[in-house]
Every structure is written in structure tokens, then in C-alpha cells.
Amino acid sequence: MDTLPLMFAIVDESGVILSTNETWSEFGRANGTELTPNTLGVNYLDVADMADDVTGQQAADGIRTVLAGDQSSFELEYPCHTTSAKQWFRLCAAPFTIDGTRYASIAHIDITARKQRESVLEAAYDICTDANRTFTEQLDALLELGCETLDTSFGTLSRVHGDEYVFEAVTAPATADLEAGSTTSIEDLPNCRHVVEHREPLAISDVAADAPDLADPEWGIANYIGAPVVVDGAVYGTFCFYGLEPRETVFTQWDLTFVRLLSDWAGYELERQRHTEQRSALNTALPDPSFIIDAEGRFLDCLTDPETMVTVDDTDTLVGQTLHECLPHKTADSLLATVRAALRTGSFQSVEYTLQVPSGKRWFEARVAPLESRAYDLDTVIFVARDITAHKDRQAELERQRDELEQTQRLNVLGREIAKALQDTQTREEIESAVCTHLTESDLYQAVWAGSRGSATRITLSAAAGIDTATPEQISPGEHSLAIDAIDTGEVQVVEDITDVSTPSDTGMDRPLLTDRCSVAAVPLTTGETTYGVLMVYASTEATIGCRESSILADLGRLIALSIQRVHSQQSLLAATTVELEFLTPDSDDVFAGLSAMHDCSFTLERRVPTSSGNCLHYVRISGVDTDRVCQALTETPSVESCTVVETAAENRAPLLEVALDEISASPLDTLTDYGGVVRRAVAADGDLRFTAEMAPDINVRAVVEAIQEVAPGTELRSKQYVDQPVSTATDFQTRIRDRLTPKQAAALKTAYARGYYDWPRGSSAEELAATLDISAPTLHYRLRKAHDAVIGALFDSGTGPEKHD
């Protein structure tokens, strides 16, 4: 027992120390620890119970279980650090019996060296798995750890390139002339050359004494330990540590194993980086996923990134799986049949297929060719999955454009036929009926109906085709809303599926007019200034209404509106009388009506001019209030964008204001315009709005009144009367203009017209006209402006009569 290099003691069943060996006593004297007393007769368990740390109590409890016979042995590893060093021990206790008396043998084995090695390996593992460090930073940290562990001055990772030896990572004293990137000849380092040539580790504690043939006079390496770094089966270089003085202690087998572990890791990382670079280069040069597949459809290797083809996290996950394990069954069947066909025929095969990948549905072309290689089984193919989605999309787009072009050509022909048919129509009913019939008979549309605004939320049906029975009650609220949107915006409204704007219900009230799922377009019948109604067009089943078709339908809507306008104009010209309707909206929420009550004034509308932005400029004359005051009030109104004085007050003439509203709400005047009426007068006074319009004699007055009341609740029809319409010819109009012109104004206007002054580019300049008339240029401009005012005034019925001033 005294010759064993471990601490050993025997205790009785109560824990009293009966015997110890010399190592036990020496350790106790050297360290003064209470856990390992050197005095016989001391109770070991009592001393352990009194220890400050947890391990003392654990040791006492474990030994007691052994002495009690509850377990056959007990072991415990624990630290036992001193002021000079850190130490670890393993306590082992086992029972034995002599003459019926139970004893226990206790040994304390020094495991400091093993713990130190474990700590070094853990530190190396932490460095190798630290994702926040680059490969270079990991190498530098491992070399520093190796130098500290092996007690060497130098640590290097070097690469052999022919006869050249390149230091890629270096840990060295600050005074040494060695850094990463330095090079030397492999012949100058016989130790490293030996490792490279023999492909095995080498450890020499004293080079001069133990291996004089490996000594180098230039570098002076006195101790050396290193291992080869192997990448893809070839020696890449060495991972080594060395010093310039012989070691007092020899390198152990564990030291050599440690260095070999580091060199193996470096080789693995270099090999992985090389493969990553190769794969990246392949992905750049050959972006299509490429695989090696056997006759059973099993992936043997991935040559490029497979993520675009299958939903796997990495290549390693895919290798070993079969086509049926990672692809839909039908797709896998088709691809496996292609693979086997290539193997059977020994020739190239291809097949197209679709696949749902993380980015969406994609089209692929599998290009398969037999592969003969010693690296794989004979029955293998190279499989390239070429993404042809863009090609398929272009092909589908070309087909769609071709279909759309054919549809456009047919629509253009149909439009010309409709335009020809509308030339002889005499009434609005004939126009709408002809359009509906032509559109449905062309088989481009399965149903068409036309109507006008019946209220703020409903359309009054006036003509239909392709529908057995159609009444406003059969039209769903969604279809009414779509038609109203087209009238309000003046733009074609398209939905791909009519059921999207209708909510199914048990009562059927929200069910669309056509239960088939079809594309629908609501086409406003508008000239740009006047909207007469809407045309609802239902496409054939499975067809859609595209942008080009929508534009053609918009042109058709304008053609219909112009035809209706023509009919109304003809009816007005031919009619001896018109219907004059007078309305009153008490306490109107109109901007001008509200201000008239607030400032005790009145506003008389002269005209409204629509702008390209969609709102209107209102030209109104005011009376009963100061101009600046009412302008200030209008400017402060939230819905008013601007207010400008166009004409100041004059004798027997109220000031004229230009008011721009930035928010245009539904107006009863718009409703009258929609029904083809002409607003003759509109006055806001005392908070009320009173307006008068002339309508065609056959107008449905009740429908007009109901539509206005939807827009302006409380509006009353105050009077309805038939008014004789004076007959006016073109000669009468020309006579009115001549009466407004002075002879000098007429001469200037006729000369300018005759000499091409109004052509573009101009045939004559103002100076040339002035010279011809023998007058100055300012005089010419003055006479032309007065003549222009007279002509335009006659066109818009401006003024009260001829006003002749030279």
C-alpha cells in the first residue's frame, strides 16, 4: 500500500480510520486538508460532515451507504484546489468483511491530468463550434490554445504548394519574424517535410538528441509535434507546434492525439469550404438543380443547390431519400419512369412537370442522361431539373395575348356593326335595344342589359338581351352597386366573378342575375360631360374581360352616349315644346344655400365647368352681401378649394365669382343632366335651393323626381309646364353674331380667318394682318379680342344683347 501512488485508507463500520498508506499521510501533511487526515483513530465521516463544501457531505453519505451494505461501491469526483495549484480527485470506496466485522477501503486517485485534458478539449470544442468566429479566427484561437497546452512557443497551420511551404495561420512570439502569409521552402523544414511525406503525426521532445537527421540549422527547431492536414484524400499541409529549446518532459501520447484532433478538424473545415466554393461556383455556372439518381429513384448525390426543386433544408437531408419520399406521388412516378427509360435505352430523356415550392408553383423540365462512373453504381443517371417557369409564363402570356387580340379584332368588327346600326335609330330605346341584341348575338357575351339611375342605389332597367326575364328586382344589390359606381366615376368597372360582388342568401335577394360564374363589366354611357346611364355586359363562361377589352367597351359606351345625345338633340330641335320643371330644396345642405342663410344673400349659378381632375368650377353671381366678405366665408369653408372674383360689381350687374370645390358630392343638377335635361336657372337664397330645368317632352317626370329626392331629400317639384320652343336656324345664329360685331371688328375677324391666322402653323402673323388693314398691331389685337368675345358670347348665350364698341 505504501508503494502505490494513490492515497489509501481503511475505516471500520463507524468510519474510524484504522490504517493509511504513506501517500495519504504525505498529502495530508503537505496540504493540511481536513478531508484526508493523517492521524489514525480519527473518524473520517465526522471530518467529512464538518467540511464547508458540498462534496464533503456527499462523500460521507456515500461511504455510509457502503458500510451499511446498501450498495457495493461508491465513487465521487471532486475538486481539491490549493493555493498553488488546481487539483481534482476521484474517491472510491468498497466494503469488505473480516470475521463478521464490516470495513471499507477508501482510495483518493489524482485525476488532475485527466481533468486538465478534458478542459482543453472543451475549450477546443467551444472554439470549433463558435459560429460567431470566422475560420481564420478559429485557427488563431486553436493555435494559441495548443501552444499553452503543449508549452511551445510556435503554432502554425501551413500549406504545401509544390516545394513551397506557406504559413496560413501563425501563433508566435512578438519578437519572431513570422506571420500569416510568410513562405519558405519545404526543404528548410525537415520535420514538416517528414509529416507530409509519411502522412502521419510526429512528436520529438529533443530533435538534436532523438532525431538529429531532422534538425534544421536555419530555423533551429529543437522540439516539434505535428500532424498532417488531409483534404479530399491529399495532404494539404501540417498543423504543428514547436519550440527553439529542448523539452524537459517528453510529449505524451495524449499530446499527439490532441494535435491530430486539431489537424483533422482543420482538414474537415478546409474540405467543407472547398466543397462550398465548388457548389457555389456550380450554382453560379449551372443554376439548375443537378443530382445523381439510381434506378430506384434514390438521390445519391447533389451537385448543386436543390432548394429550388424540393422543400429540404440542406443537401444532406436529400441524399439517401427517394423521389417518392420528397415529391408528390404522380410527379415521382413520371420522373422515375423517365430515369428508367434513360437507363433502358442508354439515351437522353426529358419530361416536364409542375411542383409546388416555397416560392409558389413552378414548371420544370427533367433532363436525364445515363452515367457511367466508378464513383457510383452502374445503373445511375445525372438528373438536371431545369426551371422553365419563365418560358411557360411567356408561352401562356403569348397565348393570352393571341386570344385577347382575336377578341379585340372581333370587338372592333362588332363595334363598327353597332355604329352602323345606330345611325338610323330615332329613340333611346332603339339605341339600347340594338346594342344589347348585337352584343349577345355575337356570342362574345351571354347577357347584356342597359339602364339609367333610378335612385342613389338602384338602376332602372330599360333594355336587355340574353336574359329570359329581367326586372330591377331581379338584379342583386351588388350588381346595382357596380352599375352605380360606373355612373359615378365615369369609368368602366370590371369584376372577374360576379359572385364576388353578391352575397349568397336563402331568400335569393342577393343572388346575381346570372348564377354562372362569369366576368362582368359595368360600362358608363358618358360623353365626358353627360352620363346617360350604364351598360352591364356579362362575358361568356370561362372568359375574362381584360384591359384592352375594357377600353373598347369604354369607347362603345361613349358611342352609345353620343347616339343618345344625338337623339335628344334631334327631339329637342324637332319638338315644338319642352317640359320645364321647377324644384325647391328647403334648408338645403348645398354649400351656397348654407352661406345664403348665414349672410342673408343669394347666389345665382351661371354655369358649371367640369375639369380634368373630376371636380367642377362654379361661376355664380352674388347679391345682398359684400364681395370680400362672401369670398372670405367661401375660402374658410372646408369643401371649397379656391374662390376668385372674375367680375367686379357693375351697373345693373352683380359680381361674378369662380368657386372650385375640392369635394364633389352628388348634386340634383347632375341628376338632371344624367336624364338629358338642361339646367336653365339655379338660385340659393335664405338657405333654400331653387332650380329649373328643361327636359324632353316624353321624359318620365316621376323617375326624375325620385332620382333627385334620393340625392337631395326633401326636394319638391314646384311646377311642371310645357314651354313653346322657339325655332332657331343656323342663319339666325349667324345673324345674332353679326349684330354683336362692329364693321371694324367684322373686318378684322374675316381678314384673320381668310389669311390663315387661326391655322396651325399660322398662315399670317398679327403684324402682317395689321399691315394689310393699315392699322397698328395693338389696334388689331383689340378688335380681334372684342370680336372673339362677341362670337363666344353668342355661342354660350352670354350677355343681354349686342354691345358695339370699337
Side-chain angles (χ1 to χ4, degrees), residues 416-488:
R416 289 193 292 270
E417 293 177 354
I418 292 175
K420 184 177 180 180
L422 296 184
Q423 291 177 358
D424 298 328
T425 53
Q426 301 298 321
T427 64
R428 175 171 180 170
E429 289 74 16
E430 291 180 5
I431 293 171
E432 293 175 339
S433 178
V435 171
C436 292
T437 301
H438 274 77
L439 289 176
T440 52
E441 288 181 350
S442 67
D443 77 22
L444 291 173
Y445 303 102
Q446 57 177 323
V448 181
W449 59 266
S452 57
R453 188 197 297 268
S455 66
T457 59
R458 294 181 68 81
I459 297 295
T460 299
L461 200 66
S462 54
I467 309 171
D468 294 335
T469 58
T471 64
E473 290 72 22
Q474 292 176 302
I475 301 173
S476 69
E479 290 166 296
H480 278 291
S481 177
L482 187 66
I484 292 294
D485 287 344
I487 292 176
D488 290 341

Side-chain angles (χ1 to χ4, degrees), residues 397-656:
E397 177 63 17
L398 288 174
E399 292 177 357
R400 187 195 64 78
Q401 291 178 356
R402 182 195 63 198
D403 294 341
E404 186 175 342
L405 182 59
E406 291 178 357
Q407 181 86 337
T408 301
Q409 291 173 342
R410 294 184 63 191
L411 278 171
N412 286 330
V413 173
L414 180 60
R416 289 193 292 270
E417 293 177 354
I418 292 175
K420 184 177 180 180
L422 296 184
Q423 291 177 358
D424 298 328
T425 53
Q426 301 298 321
T427 64
R428 175 171 180 170
E429 289 74 16
E430 291 180 5
I431 293 171
E432 293 175 339
S433 178
V435 171
C436 292
T437 301
H438 274 77
L439 289 176
T440 52
E441 288 181 350
S442 67
D443 77 22
L444 291 173
Y445 303 102
Q446 57 177 323
V448 181
W449 59 266
S452 57
R453 188 197 297 268
S455 66
T457 59
R458 294 181 68 81
I459 297 295
T460 299
L461 200 66
S462 54
I467 309 171
D468 294 335
T469 58
T471 64
E473 290 72 22
Q474 292 176 302
I475 301 173
S476 69
E479 290 166 296
H480 278 291
S481 177
L482 187 66
I484 292 294
D485 287 344
I487 292 176
D488 290 341
T489 62
E491 297 178 354
V492 177
Q493 305 293 315
V494 178
V495 293
E496 292 186 2
D497 186 353
I498 187 59
T499 58
D500 291 341
V501 298
S502 303
T503 305
S505 65
D506 295 335
T507 62
M509 292 299 294
D510 292 342
R511 189 175 303 159
L513 194 61
L514 295 181
T515 56
D516 294 336
R517 304 175 70 90
C518 63
S519 183
V520 179
V523 184
L525 307 181
T526 178
T527 63
E529 296 181 358
T530 304
T531 301
Y532 293 96
V534 65
L535 185 72
M536 291 289 285
V537 178
Y538 297 75
S540 300
T541 307
E542 304 301 329
T544 58
I545 299 176
C547 295
R548 188 177 300 180
E549 184 176 356
S550 178
S551 298
I552 295 176
L553 289 173
D555 292 338
L556 178 60
R558 284 188 285 272
L559 173 63
I560 297 171
L562 290 172
S563 298
I564 295 174
Q565 189 179 66
R566 171 183 58 80
V567 168
H568 283 177
S569 299
Q570 290 174 347
Q571 291 174 343
S572 299
L573 289 173
L574 297 175
T577 60
T578 59
V579 177
E580 184 181 88
L581 303 178
E582 181 182 356
F583 297 90
L584 173 66
T585 306
D587 299 325
S588 172
D589 58 2
D590 180 79
V591 173
F592 300 106
L595 289 176
S596 70
M598 186 180 302
H599 297 279
D600 192 21
C601 63
S602 66
F603 295 86
T604 301
L605 178 68
E606 282 208 350
R607 63 178 51 87
R608 296 191 309 156
V609 180
T611 66
S612 58
S613 61
N615 57 8
C616 278
L617 297 176
H618 292 68
Y619 292 90
V620 295
R621 294 196 181 273
I622 58 172
S623 59
V625 67
D626 179 68
T627 304
D628 294 338
R629 180 182 173 191
V630 77
C631 281
Q632 180 67 25
L634 282 166
T635 304
E636 293 174 354
T637 303
S639 60
V640 175
E641 184 177 285
S642 64
C643 177
T644 306
V645 178
V646 177
E647 293 181 10
T648 58
E651 184 178 359
N652 298 324
R653 199 166 185 82
L656 179 66

Side-chain angles (χ1 to χ4, degrees), residues 305-324:
D305 189 354
E307 290 184 359
T308 56
M309 176 184 171
V310 290
T311 54
V312 295
D313 294 332
D314 51 44
T315 303
D316 294 336
T317 306
L318 186 61
V319 173
Q321 294 191 47
T322 64
L323 290 166
H324 284 83

Side-chain angles (χ1 to χ4, degrees), residues 737 740-742 744-746 748-749 758 778-794 802-806:
I737 292 178
R740 290 171 177 259
L741 297 174
T742 66
K744 294 180 179 181
Q745 292 169 1
L749 190 62
Y758 297 107
T779 301
L780 172 71
H781 284 298
Y782 171 76
R783 292 178 181 176
L784 286 179
R785 283 197 299 272
K786 297 300 290 184
H788 296 163
D789 183 65
V791 173
I792 295 173
E803 184 179 349
K804 299 181 179 180
H805 299 285
D806 190 10

